[in-house]
Amino acid sequence: MSRRTDFLQMRRRLCIWDLEPKRADALKLNVERSLRFLPQLDLVRLKALDDPNLLPCDLLVVFATHLGEEELITWLSGFEKRMAQQQQGIWIPALIVNASEMTRVVEVLEQTLNSNWYFDLLHPDHLSSLPVRVANLLRMHDHLHELLRYEKELKRMQTDIGRIEAELQALR
């Protein structure tokens, strides 16, 4: 079975964290309903970022709909620091649902470029792009895990080569 076929058949664990869980609205319901229609996803609801159900997680969807632009920028900075949850050295990507227009996107861009964490902002008016955004974040996450596997294999091969070279030296 090829890598591509393996990827398409893998089940992914998508965690949902609502910053305002007591408030229900049509947007949250529509996003969750759309996520349930996506194939190969297991949805897990979190109560907090330190929820023991967080790991393992392939993608974190955060409902931050109540945050304005200023609050969102401040929250993103703190969230990144708290998001230091890693799986095998790889950060969990996030899809953040928020209605801000992000006119001060330069601040977020600079912060993002200086970080190893990646995320996407989903505006409520762009729900039709949800499947593509989820697929892109999952694929980037998969690529990082693949690079980690390559790195481990290269280290193993270098160790084997070193051992073989030592054995050859001993034979001479």
Side-chain angles (χ1 to χ4, degrees):
M1 189 178 290
S2 72
R3 273 290 294 140
R4 179 159 169 68
T5 307
D6 287 346
F7 173 73
L8 292 174
Q9 293 179 353
M10 286 176 59
R11 294 215 44 95
R12 301 304 180 121
R13 197 159 185 269
L14 192 142
C15 298
I16 300 172
W17 180 36
D18 189 350
L19 299 182
E20 275 195 322
K22 293 182 180 178
R23 192 179 95 187
D25 59 24
L27 171 63
K28 291 177 186 179
L29 294 173
N30 284 336
V31 170
E32 283 195 46
R33 185 180 313 127
S34 298
L35 290 170
R36 291 190 193 291
F37 284 123
L38 298 177
Q40 304 297 336
L41 289 179
D42 294 326
L43 301 180
V44 177
R45 290 192 135 288
L46 302 176
K47 294 182 183 185
L49 193 57
D50 58 355
D51 192 314
N53 291 323
L54 175 62
L55 297 177
C57 181
D58 295 304
L59 176 62
L60 177 62
V61 176
V62 181
F63 287 107
T65 53
H66 66 290
L67 298 178
E69 184 177 350
E70 286 290 325
E71 296 168 310
L72 180 64
I73 291 171
T74 304
W75 178 82
L76 275 173
S77 175
F79 182 62
E80 176 193 358
K81 290 176 182 76
R82 292 178 59 207
M83 196 57 207
Q85 296 282 345
Q86 297 183 15
Q87 299 175 123
Q88 301 171 356
I90 298 173
W91 290 34
I92 301 167
L95 178 63
I96 301 164
V97 181
N98 183 277
S100 295
E101 294 298 327
M102 294 305 295
T103 55
R104 294 180 40 219
V105 76
V106 174
E107 291 178 31
V108 175
L109 181 63
E110 182 178 338
Q111 173 184 330
T112 304
L113 290 173
N114 293 329
S115 170
N116 286 325
W117 175 59
Y118 53 101
F119 66 93
D120 194 1
L121 294 171
L122 177 65
H123 192 280
D125 293 342
H126 303 132
L127 281 182
S128 62
S129 68
L130 180 68
V132 172
R133 290 169 186 259
V134 168
N136 285 340
L137 288 168
L138 288 173
R139 194 65 191 130
M140 284 191 292
H141 192 61
D142 186 57
H143 280 305
L144 292 174
H145 279 285
E146 196 166 335
L147 289 172
L148 183 65
R149 287 189 295 272
Y150 288 161
E151 181 182 2
K152 287 179 181 177
E153 184 64 18
L154 281 172
K155 285 181 181 177
R156 187 195 62 76
M157 291 171 74
Q158 288 172 339
T159 303
D160 289 349
I161 290 170
R163 182 184 47 78
I164 291 169
E165 286 175 345
E167 289 174 5
L168 282 173
Q169 288 296 332
L171 290 174
R172 291 184 185 172

